[in-house]
Amino acid sequence: MNSEILLEVRNLRKHFRIGKSLLKSRRQTVQAVDDVSFDLAAGETLGLVGESGCGKSTVGRLLLQLIEPTGGSVKFDGREMRALTREDLRAVRKQCQFIFQDPYGSLDPRMRIWDIVTEPIAIEGSMTRQQRRARAVELLDKVGLSAAAADRYPHEFSGGQRQRIGIARALALSPRLIVCDEPVSALDVSIQAQVVNLLSDLKQELGLSYLFISHNLAIVRHITDRIAVMYLGKIVELAPKAELYRRPQHPYTSALLSAIPVPEPDRPIQPIELHGDIPSPINPPAGCRFHTRCPLAFDRCRSEEPALQTRRPGHQVACHLAGSD
Ligand code: SF4
C-alpha cells in the first residue's frame, strides 16, 4: 500500500424519496447514506461493515456513480466524479469495477464463459474476437480456472467457481479499484476462505485497491487494512484493522466483535446483546442513532448527535463516551 489517495469521499449522502403510506399522507425520505466521509489509498483494502440495511451497499453504488448522490463529493484520482463529462466518466468507470454478491445472478446463462469474462472489452471494442478469447483464457488462469472453462456456460460451475468468473470479468479492463459487495456471503463457508485468499493474492499481484463490503467482521479481518463500521447510514468507527479488533471504541463495534466465535475456549468473550431491531432509516432516532439499542446510552445520547472524531492517530469514533489518549 502507498500513501497516494485514490478515492476521496466527503459528506456523501443518499436520500431516497418514497411514496405515501396508509398512515402518512406526505411523501417520506429514506436516509440511506448520511454524511459519510473516508479516503482509500492506492493499494489499500478498506472494509465497510454493518448490519443489513445500514447503507453500505448504497455507498458502493454511489462511488461508482451507479446511482446519483443527494449530496457530497466523490473524487477518484483527484477528479470529482459528478463533474465528469459522460465520456470521462466512462473512462473512469473502466478503472473502477464491481463484484456482486450473487455470482449466478450477474452471469448471463446464455453466454459462454469467455464471452462473459470479456464482455467489458467487447463493449469497449478494443480487441478482435480472437484477441478477446485469448484474454479470457489469461483472465481465467489468473482466477484459478482452466482454459477448458472458456467454452462452457455458467450453470456448469459451482458457486465458488462462478464467483471466480465474476472476478475474472471485473479484471478484464485492468481496473485500479474494485468494489466487492458481499462477494463471499452467498458461498459455502468452506469456499469463502478460498475466494478471499484469491482476492488477496490478486491485490498483491496487480496492485489493486478494494472497498470490501460485508456484514461479517470475521471475514473482513482476513483481507482489509482498515475497517469502517456503519450504522443506520453513518460511519460510527473507522480504524486500522489491528487497532479496531484490539481496542474497539464504539459500543456497536464491540457488540459486532463480541458475536464472532473465538477459537480459544479458555478466553471466552462475553457476547454483548443488542436489544431491539435496527430502527427505520425513514425516521432515524434523534441524537445518537444507536441510542435505542446501546447498552451504555445516557441522557445526552438522546438529544445530541456525536460527531465522528479522531481519538487516536487514524482512529475515528462517533460516541460521546469515546476517549482520547
Ligand atoms: Fe451509545 Fe451514547 Fe455512545 Fe451513542 S453516543 S454509542 S448511545 S454511549
Side-chain angles (χ1 to χ4, degrees):
M1 187 175 91
N2 64 45
S3 56
E4 177 204 340
I5 299 299
L6 186 63
L7 192 67
E8 196 180 316
V9 179
R10 292 292 177 270
N11 311 108
L12 190 61
R13 283 188 296 127
K14 181 64 188 178
H15 294 180
F16 294 101
R17 300 263 288 160
I18 57 169
K20 301 164 188 170
S21 69
L22 276 178
L23 300 175
K24 303 273 181 191
S25 56
R26 292 175 53 196
R27 287 173 71 88
Q28 297 175 288
T29 302
V30 177
Q31 298 179 23
V33 173
D34 208 19
D35 207 13
V36 163
S37 301
F38 61 85
D39 291 335
L40 178 67
E44 182 182 31
T45 298
L46 177 69
L48 196 55
V49 176
E51 288 165 289
S52 169
C54 72
K56 55 192 189 305
S57 292
T58 306
V59 170
R61 283 167 169 74
L62 289 168
L63 297 185
L64 304 195
Q65 304 285 297
L66 300 178
I67 49 175
E68 272 273 301
T70 308
S73 154
V74 176
K75 286 184 184 167
F76 180 81
D77 215 7
R79 300 173 78 192
E80 177 62 54
M81 295 282 269
R82 287 176 92 176
L84 296 176
T85 62
R86 190 177 290 196
E87 197 177 328
D88 285 347
L89 182 59
R90 208 177 299 137
V92 167
R93 277 203 180 127
K94 282 185 207 164
Q95 302 180 56
C96 311
Q97 296 292 319
F98 220 93
I99 295 172
F100 298 94
Q101 174 179 359
D102 174 8
Y104 197 55
S106 63
L107 307 180
D108 187 332
R110 297 159 305 177
M111 288 171 74
R112 289 186 193 274
I113 299 305
W114 79 267
D115 253 338
I116 290 176
V117 165
T118 58
E119 195 179 15
I121 301 173
I123 292 168
E124 198 189 31
S126 58
M127 286 187 190
T128 64
R129 202 172 153 75
Q130 205 175 9
Q131 286 170 327
R132 275 203 296 125
R133 202 180 183 294
R135 173 73 172 144
V137 170
E138 189 187 311
L139 289 164
L140 289 170
D141 181 58
K142 277 211 181 315
V143 299
L145 294 173
S146 70
D151 290 312
R152 292 160 65 190
Y153 289 92
H155 73 268
E156 299 178 61
F157 295 89
S158 67
Q161 289 171 326
R162 286 198 288 255
Q163 193 54 293
R164 285 173 189 267
I165 293 164
I167 294 168
R169 182 173 57 184
L171 296 175
L173 295 174
S174 305
R176 298 167 70 194
L177 168 70
I178 300 183
V179 174
C180 309
D181 189 3
E182 299 272 13
V184 297
S185 57
L187 305 178
D188 288 349
V189 175
S190 58
I191 306 296
Q192 289 181 348
Q194 292 175 18
V195 174
V196 167
N197 289 341
L198 170 67
L199 287 168
S200 205
D201 293 346
L202 289 169
K203 176 188 151 175
Q204 296 300 331
E205 184 187 338
L206 305 173
L208 299 166
S209 304
Y210 293 138
L211 181 75
F212 195 98
I213 297 168
S214 176
H215 66 281
N216 189 333
L217 264 171
I219 284 173
V220 295
R221 181 172 206 156
H222 298 292
I223 189 165
T224 50
D225 300 300
R226 291 185 304 144
I227 296 173
V229 179
M230 278 190 79
Y231 185 79
L232 217 53
K234 288 184 175 281
I235 291 180
V236 296
E237 186 158 16
L238 197 165
K241 173 177 66 176
E243 163 107 355
L244 190 100
Y245 282 88
R246 201 180 320 122
R247 303 216 311 181
Q249 296 260 314
H250 196 282
Y252 179 57
T253 311
S254 302
L256 292 180
L257 286 172
S258 77
I260 299 175
V262 196
E264 301 156 76
D266 50 328
R267 281 205 311 119
I269 290 181
Q270 202 56 37
I272 301 170
E273 265 189 58
L274 293 180
H275 296 288
D277 293 330
I278 189 164
S280 164
I282 294 174
N283 191 13
C288 174
R289 290 188 177 188
F290 186 54
H291 85 251
T292 55
R293 301 169 77 199
C294 179
L296 305 178
F298 57 108
D299 278 353
R300 186 180 167 198
C301 308
R302 294 177 190 92
S303 57
E304 190 184 326
E305 184 172 359
L308 186 68
Q309 289 182 336
T310 300
R311 302 291 180 169
R312 289 165 52 77
H315 191 159
Q316 297 173 285
V317 190
C319 173
H320 295 312
L321 293 177
S324 312
D325 278 351

